[in-house]
Amino acid sequence: MPTPNAEHTEEITEMSPADTVLFARTIHTLRTAAPVEALALRDGRVTAVGDARSIKTEIGGATDVIDLGDATLTPGLIDGHIHPVLGLKMTAGHDLSSVTNLDELAVALRAAPRNDGWVLGWGLDPNVFGDRPITHAPIVEALGDYVPVFIYLFDAHSALASPAALHAAGVSGPRPFAGNAEIVCTDGIPTGHLLELEAVELVDGALPNEPAAARRRRLHEVLTAMAQSGITSGNAMDFEADSGELVAALENSGDLPIRLRFAPFCMPGTDRAQLDHIVELQRRGGRRWRVDGVKFMIDGTIDGGTAWLEHADAHGESTAPLWPDPAEYREAVRYLAARGVPTVTHAIGDAGIRYALDTLADTPATPTGVRHRIEHIETLPDDLVSRFAATGVVASMQPNHCTLYTRGDQSDNWSVRLGTERANRAFRTRDIRDSGALLALGSDWPVAPFDPRKILADAQLRRRAGHLDEIPVCPEQGLTASMALEGYTSHAARAQGSADAGWIGVGARADFTAFAVDPLTAPPDELADAPVVATMVDGRFVFRA
């Protein structure tokens, strides 16, 4: 056990012995600077913190005493933005995220397995197309006209469908949508490029169905892998289709390793009855999951030309909101907020962020203390930086979107579309944090990998960890190590109204992540690949190396 050094302890007195006592060389409570060497846990809560000597008084005959040795213990990591159920459909096919050019795409498609005759893929980066338009032409060149192929692009807002896939879905030309979705056509003939969910779902609905048992198995695998990377909780930005049945089945069988907080979608065209249904959904939940919010999208993506910018991009695109009448978005936000539903708004372009902030500035806070929040915030004008702190709106951002999909030399599709001025205000995590706002960090899985160690590193480096030769993207926006960790712990917990999470102390829930290195002192490139020693939820190990 560690050698005692500080004679201090916090504890709940006149209680029975602890269920578990944990020792570790370093424990970051994020509450006190006083050294802590040990914790006592009972019924999923912390009942005492202190030095090794004082905590020994908490040990009884049935207490499980665990020494994590040289590990560093922190509050459990909270991913601010994931799509665990929507991601099952997206990731059902061949992973194309490592493809870098069209020749590699052809090789990958030819090698991809068939699912009821279909070739499915996901994670394709539009930079693969270079100067060529994004169409199904490379698919046809690789596999011919008669193979149904469906590929999700990395942003999850667009897809590519082969001629056979379009035919299977009955898509032969343009269609009207409630939102600003589009079946991209040339002379009335679809090119295969589908923009935004309403268009994507036309072909998605024709794909082979996956059995419920297989979906449960894959969801369990994803959540288990998240727990093994140190994640104890995730803000799940979906609650569609069979989400409730899947997660309830996992929990009932003891296979729900992390906490999940769901926010179902509210899309353009949603009527009053559907809004009331979203309110009704807020009553659903279990021991480790609950519905607690609603997910809006005011715009799409810069890469797809569907973001909402104050001035058009280099292609003359990204000039309109996803909601054709944004006043309907505002009305829906305020209707749900007035009924206690915390809102989440995807806003990427500067005009979209401005409109969302204007909407939330006088939107009532929820009685539970859960903050309204804006997701992604990719290009932000100077005059909007301080408004997050001023309005109390949470900035929820994904540092690996910056490091994976943009480049320091601004040669990538995202930067080229925006131009130098707007690309120079990319993912302003440090400016937002320095302004005093709450900054929650996350991954947006499956848009980007969920490993928090790499995201913590990238948030500091502004380049991919381990790639020392890369030019950092707007390096002045790098976070300190403590800011990055707080984005996954204390800030993330406050953002979701969890007063008993994101810190370690008496009364806090016993959710912890144990690292092999100290995330506050290890070089970020080392942290990215350092092992996670253990992950604990409710005072029980959900992973232990």
Side-chain angles (χ1 to χ4, degrees):
M1 293 182 184
T3 303
N5 54 18
E7 295 284 345
H8 84 282
T9 186
E10 296 178 51
E11 60 183 318
I12 298 175
T13 58
E14 298 181 1
M15 297 285 284
S16 57
D19 300 328
T20 304
V21 165
L22 290 177
F23 295 91
R25 179 181 293 277
T26 304
I27 299 177
H28 293 305
T29 68
L30 303 193
R31 271 292 178 93
T32 176
V36 172
E37 297 174 319
L39 309 173
L41 317 177
R42 185 184 303 110
D43 298 329
R45 297 278 170 177
V46 178
T47 55
V49 302
D51 57 51
R53 181 180 302 162
S54 62
I55 291 295
K56 287 180 180 178
T57 63
E58 301 292 311
I59 298 173
T63 301
D64 191 8
V65 179
I66 300 166
D67 189 350
L68 295 175
D70 291 336
T72 296
L73 198 70
T74 72
L77 301 184
I78 301 170
D79 192 310
H81 190 121
I82 55 175
H83 298 279
V85 179
L86 181 64
L88 295 180
K89 191 77 175 238
M90 283 186 58
T91 61
H94 196 54
D95 184 355
L96 301 173
S97 60
S98 62
V99 169
T100 62
N101 57 55
L102 292 177
D103 289 338
E104 292 179 5
L105 176 61
V107 171
L109 290 176
R110 291 176 186 134
R114 304 288 176 98
N115 183 348
D116 287 346
W118 286 71
V119 172
L120 306 178
W122 64 280
L124 186 64
D125 188 335
N127 286 295
V128 164
F129 288 82
D131 294 332
R132 290 182 59 170
I134 300 174
T135 73
H136 53 37
I139 298 174
V140 173
E141 292 167 13
L143 298 177
D145 284 319
Y146 302 107
V147 178
V149 181
F150 184 75
I151 301 171
Y152 273 102
L153 272 65
F154 84 85
D155 63 10
H157 283 248
S158 56
L160 267 178
S162 70
L166 293 171
H167 177 75
V171 176
S172 58
R175 294 189 188 183
F177 296 102
N180 277 331
E182 182 183 1
I183 300 168
V184 180
C185 295
T186 300
D187 298 327
I189 305 300
T191 67
H193 195 192
L194 307 170
L195 294 173
E196 296 306 323
L197 297 186
E198 286 180 289
V200 170
E201 287 171 353
L202 290 176
V203 182
D204 182 276
L207 301 183
N209 288 323
E210 184 176 23
R215 284 171 60 77
R216 283 196 301 273
R217 175 184 54 78
R218 288 207 300 124
L219 180 59
H220 179 247
E221 289 172 354
V222 168
L223 299 178
T224 297
M226 288 182 177
Q228 291 171 347
S229 73
I231 294 171
T232 62
S233 180
N235 288 267
M237 301 300 172
D238 56 56
F239 194 71
E240 319 315 306
D242 57 350
S243 298
E245 291 75 13
L246 283 173
V247 72
L250 288 184
E251 184 166 75
N252 291 338
S253 62
D255 289 331
L256 186 59
I258 69 172
R259 303 180 191 273
L260 292 171
R261 175 175 170 259
F262 288 95
F265 284 124
C266 183
M267 299 295 289
T270 298
D271 60 23
R272 184 61 56 87
Q274 291 167 316
L275 292 176
D276 289 337
H277 177 63
I278 291 170
V279 175
E280 188 69 21
L281 283 175
Q282 309 298 306
R283 300 180 181 180
R284 296 196 63 179
R287 297 182 302 279
R288 287 187 180 171
W289 69 277
R290 71 187 193 277
V291 179
D292 184 33
V294 58
K295 168 74 181 298
F296 291 91
M297 291 186 289
I298 194 61
D299 65 356
T301 69
I302 289 165
D303 281 291
T306 57
W308 188 13
L309 297 173
E310 294 176 338
H311 304 286
D313 68 13
H315 296 190
E317 298 176 337
S318 284
T319 59
L322 188 63
W323 292 61
D325 181 0
E328 293 182 0
Y329 153 80
R330 179 169 288 174
E331 180 182 351
V333 165
R334 291 175 174 169
Y335 182 87
L336 292 171
R339 287 153 181 80
V341 181
T343 67
V344 175
T345 299
H346 162 124
I348 279 178
D350 46 18
I353 299 166
R354 188 181 301 279
Y355 195 86
L357 281 169
D358 287 345
T359 297
L360 296 172
D362 55 0
T363 295
T366 65
T368 60
V370 181
R371 305 278 194 102
H372 300 300
R373 53 198 287 163
I374 296 178
E375 308 296 310
H376 310 312
I377 314 166
E378 293 190 2
T379 179
L380 186 68
D382 290 344
D383 67 304
L384 295 184
V385 171
S386 63
R387 292 196 62 195
F388 287 88
T391 58
V393 173
V394 173
S396 173
M397 302 178 73
Q398 299 77 41
N400 56 353
H401 285 202
C402 174
T403 58
L404 293 177
Y405 305 127
T406 68
R407 299 172 187 156
D409 64 3
Q410 298 186 354
S411 63
D412 58 283
N413 179 59
W414 187 93
S415 301
V416 169
R417 278 184 173 268
L418 285 177
T420 300
E421 179 184 353
R422 290 182 294 196
N424 282 343
R425 58 195 199 203
F427 302 91
R428 298 176 70 170
T429 48
R430 183 60 177 266
D431 287 343
I432 290 174
R433 175 60 198 259
D434 285 347
S435 75
L438 277 183
L439 176 64
L441 301 181
S443 66
D444 199 13
W445 184 85
V447 172
F450 56 72
D451 193 327
R453 294 163 294 182
K454 296 187 185 301
I455 299 173
L456 290 168
D458 287 13
Q460 300 171 64
L461 298 168
R462 300 289 290 194
R463 60 164 171 80
R464 290 183 297 166
H467 293 258
L468 280 66
D469 58 332
E470 288 187 348
I471 302 170
V473 179
C474 302
E476 71 280 1
Q477 295 301 327
L479 299 175
T480 66
S482 60
M483 288 175 177
L485 181 60
E486 288 164 355
Y488 260 93
T489 54
S490 57
H491 277 230
R494 288 167 59 197
Q496 65 184 34
S498 298
D500 59 351
W503 56 284
I504 297 175
V506 173
R509 64 192 188 197
D511 293 1
F512 311 117
T513 304
F515 296 87
V517 300
D518 188 338
L520 296 187
T521 61
D525 289 296
E526 178 185 346
L527 170 63
D529 292 319
V532 167
V533 174
T535 309
M536 180 172 275
V537 176
D538 283 329
R540 298 179 180 275
F541 287 112
V542 293
F543 168 69
R544 191 173 182 188

